[in-house]
């Protein structure tokens, strides 16, 4: 456990705040510090984040062959996944607040290799938190109220 004097002072201030939330009105610095701590450490310590996780599902609709999917972001490599016909691959993630989250994938089948940005925050983030894609030979299609198909990159 850390015992730095400033950290101990901060922890005791948080304890006071949690016992008496009205004390936050008297200390704007404490209010800001508490908010920063929640934003920085909330998701990694089991506290709910201020925005939900995004769920993304891709269904192999190539018409028979196994689809090999490999998705990455700047910070995460999700590995290689083999997706049988008419089955899906699913992952979830926490997009950042700056709307710069990007997950790009390669798709391989029958000696073909295609690429597509399966989640691009400027394009997708305002569309909700659940994304269903169908992967077809001519390109991926985002399902929803309207089906929107895209060409391969």
């Amino acid at each position: 456990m850390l015992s730095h004097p400033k950290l101990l002072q901060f922890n005791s201030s948080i304890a006071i705040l949690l016992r008496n939330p009205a004390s936050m009105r008297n200390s704007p610095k404490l209010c800001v510090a508490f908010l920063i701590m929640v934003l920085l450490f909330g998701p990694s310590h089991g506290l709910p984040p201020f925005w939900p996780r995004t769920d993304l599902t891709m269904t192999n609709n190539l018409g028979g062959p196994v689809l090999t999917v490999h998705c990455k972001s700047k910070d995460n490599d999700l590995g290689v996944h083999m997706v049988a016909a008419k089955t899906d691959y699913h992952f979830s993630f926490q997009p950042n607040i700056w709307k710069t989250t990007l997950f790009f994938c390669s798709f391989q089948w029958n000696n073909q290799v295609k690429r597509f940005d399966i989640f691009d925050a400027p394009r997708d983030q305002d569309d909700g938190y659940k994304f269903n894609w169908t992967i077809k030979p001519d390109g991926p299609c985002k399902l929803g109220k309207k089906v929107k198909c895209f060409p391969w990159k």
Side-chain angles (χ1 to χ4, degrees):
M1 178 148 184
L2 297 174
S3 60
H4 189 275
K6 290 285 185 184
L7 184 59
L8 290 174
Q9 179 184 1
F10 180 78
N11 284 340
S12 64
S13 297
I14 293 297
I16 291 167
L17 175 63
L18 292 175
R19 279 184 298 219
N20 183 10
S23 66
M24 192 180 290
R25 286 191 301 260
N26 300 330
S27 178
K29 287 181 184 177
L30 184 60
C31 179
V32 170
F34 182 72
L35 180 60
I36 289 170
M37 292 301 288
V38 168
L39 288 173
L40 290 177
F41 300 110
S44 64
H45 289 84
L47 297 175
F50 288 105
W51 60 98
R53 292 183 66 77
T54 295
D55 294 314
L56 196 142
T57 301
M58 294 173 267
T59 302
N60 175 355
N61 281 317
L62 295 173
V66 171
L67 175 65
T68 302
V69 178
H70 188 188
C71 296
K72 299 179 182 181
S73 72
K74 182 179 84 170
D75 301 316
N76 299 299
D77 184 338
L78 304 179
V80 176
H81 300 272
M82 308 297 279
V83 184
K86 301 291 181 186
T87 63
D88 57 66
Y89 166 59
H90 171 268
F91 66 93
S92 62
F93 58 94
Q94 185 73 54
N96 66 42
I97 61 174
W98 298 280
K99 286 193 172 184
T100 59
T101 302
L102 176 68
F103 275 92
F104 47 95
C105 302
S106 67
F107 301 88
Q108 297 179 38
W109 72 94
N110 292 349
N111 298 323
Q112 294 189 55
V113 178
K114 305 291 185 178
R115 289 178 174 66
F116 185 71
D117 295 339
I118 204 71
F119 183 85
D120 184 5
R123 179 192 70 207
D124 299 319
Q125 196 160 326
D126 293 334
D127 291 344
Y129 299 102
K130 294 196 183 298
F131 296 90
N132 291 301
W133 290 86
T134 183
I135 307 302
K136 302 192 301 187
D138 55 344
C141 297
K142 185 164 61 169
L143 307 177
K145 292 178 185 175
K146 286 186 172 182
V147 175
K148 173 117 172 116
C149 295
F150 296 86
W152 295 112
K153 289 206 171 232

